[in-house]
Amino acid sequence: MRHLLSAADLDRDQALTILETATQMHDVQHREVKKLPALRGRTVVNLFFEDSTRTRSSFEIAGKWLSADVINISAKGSSVSKGESLRDTVTTVAAMGVDGLVIRHHASGAPAQVADWVDAIVVNAGDGTHEHPTQALLDAYSISRRIGDLAGKHVVIAGDLTHSRVVRSNLLLLKTLGAQVTLVAPPTLMPSGIGAWSEAAGFATTYDFDAVLPDADAVMMLRVQKERMTGGYFPTPREYTVGYGLTRERLKLLPPNAVIAHPGPMNRGLEITADAADEARSLILDQVSAGVAVRMSVLYHLLGGAQ
């Protein structure tokens, strides 16, 4: 694996190797000196064309804890805001001798295109509504640490599927790891063509959230992405919560050992209530912590593991 552009880039052994290494990297967070020499002398540029706090910070911390030189570039205030093209921007940055580019872009497929233009390794940190592979890895890592091997486990993913890049990467990775996946959303937020997709990829879909919760080992709530919506996808926020929110009443349907995940940021009171977000089964803060460990593992395997 030269780049990480999609969760589909990983076979089961590669995914498990990254997750196992993340377990070792996670220990660094508890050390007095949070530093490993693995990427000393390497330069990683976080090139973010979309605003992001947690993902960019997570990659920055991951790179620095591996002793890489990390530079952050955002579209605002850079040559991009002066009209420079994506190709000119990334080839200019790459020509400075960087070893890795971590890219978030509003256009689906942009990181894959960049990988064809530069010699540096490229990590997709989220592209449009396409994919977010490191989010899927940290979700799988967080869930498996609580409930064990994901093979045969039932993971329910509920919410705004149409605008989510997280769901695509999670679906691909969870199937690679042998999990059973059910997607839940109102009809207006089910992606176009999902019937043929679910048949080919082997996952289930339903509009009935209550029906699948009693058999779930994990439920992942997705954010309602209001900023990507151009029309009315549901009548009112209250009606969305009643039909598809993880509420206090729905928590009673979940098995006691089932866990709750959310990739964040959350719309509290819309897709998830405070009762669910803050209860003992919630992995939400675990996912944030795991993000650094998983991204350390990804950078290590792409930039340092072969040395």
Side-chain angles (χ1 to χ4, degrees):
M1 182 179 67
R2 171 162 168 69
H3 308 287
L4 181 59
L5 305 173
S6 163
D9 293 341
L10 301 168
D11 61 27
R12 178 177 168 80
D13 288 343
Q14 289 171 322
L16 290 176
T17 297
I18 288 175
L19 298 180
E20 288 167 5
T21 305
T23 302
Q24 302 168 37
M25 298 296 184
H26 215 157
D27 292 338
V28 174
Q29 297 186 26
H30 307 294
R31 295 182 184 179
E32 185 175 352
V33 178
K34 299 176 177 61
K35 208 76 165 177
L36 296 175
L39 298 187
R40 183 178 296 156
R42 298 291 192 132
T43 302
V44 177
V45 173
N46 295 327
L47 195 51
F48 276 57
F49 295 87
E50 275 190 339
D51 293 337
S52 168
T53 300
R54 78 181 63 204
T55 302
R56 193 180 74 173
S57 300
S58 183
F59 270 109
E60 181 177 1
I61 293 170
K64 287 182 174 177
W65 283 1
L66 289 169
S67 300
D69 296 310
V70 181
I71 298 166
N72 294 316
I73 299 176
S74 60
K76 187 176 181 180
S78 71
S79 295
V80 176
S81 63
K82 301 174 185 175
E84 188 174 60
S85 70
L86 173 62
R87 181 167 187 156
D88 286 340
T89 298
V90 298
T91 54
T92 298
V93 171
M96 297 177 186
V98 305
D99 300 292
L101 290 172
V102 177
I103 297 180
R104 169 168 287 197
H105 200 280
H106 50 79
S108 299
Q113 180 63 75
V114 170
D116 287 337
W117 292 334
V118 299
D119 292 330
I121 68 100
V122 177
V123 179
N124 180 0
D127 59 333
T129 58
H130 180 224
E131 280 212 47
H132 196 351
T134 58
Q135 180 68 47
L137 283 163
L138 74 88
D139 291 339
Y141 175 82
S142 303
I143 294 170
S144 63
R145 274 170 66 90
R146 191 73 70 89
I147 68 173
D149 189 343
L150 294 179
K153 298 293 195 323
H154 183 201
V155 180
V156 174
I157 304 177
D160 182 357
L161 305 178
T162 293
H163 302 100
S164 176
R165 53 193 167 210
V166 172
V167 70
R168 288 163 177 76
S169 290
N170 264 291
L171 185 56
L172 290 166
L173 183 64
L174 288 169
K175 295 303 296 180
T176 298
L177 296 174
Q180 173 193 350
V181 182
T182 300
L183 302 186
V184 183
T188 51
L189 289 173
M190 278 285 183
S192 174
I194 197 164
W197 182 23
S198 63
E199 186 174 342
F203 62 88
T205 63
T206 181
Y207 305 136
D208 191 343
F209 196 12
D210 292 349
V212 295
L213 288 175
D215 295 324
D217 295 296
V219 58
M220 181 185 302
M221 302 305 300
L222 298 178
R223 184 171 67 90
V224 175
Q225 300 192 37
K226 302 172 188 174
E227 73 279 11
R228 296 184 191 274
M229 294 181 175
T230 55
Y233 286 83
F234 44 84
T236 66
R238 173 62 183 161
E239 288 190 50
Y240 182 86
T241 303
V242 170
Y244 295 94
L246 190 57
T247 60
R248 180 182 300 176
E249 292 71 27
R250 286 204 172 88
L251 286 177
K252 298 173 185 173
L253 299 176
L254 269 179
N257 294 328
V259 296
I260 300 163
H262 191 306
M266 295 180 286
N267 292 309
R268 281 182 182 256
L270 183 56
E271 72 265 6
I272 189 168
T273 64
D275 301 281
D278 299 331
E279 82 145 56
R281 290 180 289 181
S282 171
L283 303 177
I284 294 168
L285 290 180
D286 293 350
Q287 290 171 270
V288 177
S289 173
V292 176
V294 165
R295 285 161 181 140
M296 288 176 74
S297 177
V298 168
L299 292 175
Y300 169 75
H301 283 289
L302 289 177
L303 283 169
Q307 288 187 328

